[in-house]
Amino acid sequence: MDHRDHVGLIRAGVVGAGPRWLELGAGEGAFTLALADLLGAGGEIVAVDRNASALRRVTAELPRRFPTTRLDAVVADFRDELPTGPFDGMLAANSLHFVTDPASVLRRAAEFVRPGGRVVVVEYDADRGNPWVPHPISAHRFPAIAADAGLQNVQEIGRVPSRFLGAIYSAVAERP
Ligand SMILES: C[S@@+](CC[C@H](N)C(=O)[O-])C[C@H]1O[C@@H](n2cnc3c(N)ncnc32)[C@H](O)[C@@H]1O
């Protein structure tokens, strides 16, 4: 996947939501850059990851490519502590499959999303994991997890084939 694929996967969930976003598990920032591209001038991203060296890479790269986006990188475990909102949206790309209870992470994070704000998830469309993707969340299972997290209006918004676990999809849900 390249930057165009990343942008294409999340575009429908991000456009029109508002400028301030929380990202869980930003890593080296593939989707952080896509988010910055879509938010445009005035975008603000608070990117959380427990891997400080991965966050250092996106902290160096993002201002070069999207100088009008404000990035705040926070080293933390998103199961324990989260930056407080309000946010217009929250993105979790390829990060929820590391937790055994994704609904509880989404529920806590969604508390910091404004009413009517968006929650965008990118995941492998599989229910059986492996050592690299231990707990994938299939597109079929995501609506129940979102409902358990108190979210509504789930829609699949993108999909790309993947040689690894078949496909990657994206979905958006709304904070009531
Ligand atoms: C597969 S990488 C995905 C990175 C990026 N979102 C992407 O799609 O390219 C997963 C990231 O989630 C982070 N992560 C996993 N569990 C986490 C947790 N409990 N708290 C914070 N970060 C976590 C990892 O450190 C890693 O950077």
Side-chain angles (χ1 to χ4, degrees):
M1 285 206 292
D2 61 15
H3 181 70
R4 277 172 57 131
D5 297 315
H6 298 138
V7 169
L9 274 169
I10 65 171
R11 180 190 301 279
V14 173
V15 170
R20 188 159 196 262
W21 280 66
L22 172 66
E23 186 182 5
L24 302 185
E28 294 183 1
F31 283 90
T32 321
L33 295 171
L35 191 51
D37 201 349
L38 289 165
L39 294 177
E44 280 183 48
I45 302 169
V46 180
V48 177
D49 205 290
R50 61 185 171 193
N51 182 336
S53 70
L55 283 181
R56 275 196 292 276
R57 285 182 177 236
V58 62
T59 305
E61 171 86 0
L62 192 137
R64 279 200 289 266
R65 290 181 53 185
F66 301 102
T68 58
T69 302
R70 182 176 159 180
L71 174 65
D72 188 6
V74 178
V75 180
D77 186 320
F78 58 61
R79 293 168 301 183
D80 299 336
E81 47 183 311
L82 289 171
T84 50
F87 295 100
D88 297 303
M90 193 277 280
L91 169 66
N94 301 310
S95 55
L96 287 179
H97 58 235
F98 290 100
V99 300
T100 52
D101 186 359
S104 89
V105 171
L106 284 177
R107 191 180 311 114
R108 287 187 49 244
E111 281 173 25
F112 299 117
V113 174
R114 67 168 172 79
R118 316 255 181 89
V119 171
V120 175
V121 166
V122 178
E123 270 300 333
Y124 287 98
D125 189 6
D127 281 317
R128 292 186 53 179
N130 60 38
W132 300 275
V133 179
H135 309 290
I137 301 165
S138 66
H140 178 72
R141 212 156 53 88
F142 179 65
I145 290 169
D148 191 8
L151 301 169
Q152 63 184 20
N153 297 338
V154 176
Q155 286 178 59
E156 184 172 317
I157 54 172
R159 175 170 289 268
V160 291
S162 165
R163 271 183 293 175
F164 187 69
L165 293 180
I168 289 178
Y169 73 96
S170 51
V172 63
E174 187 185 287
R175 159 99 201 266

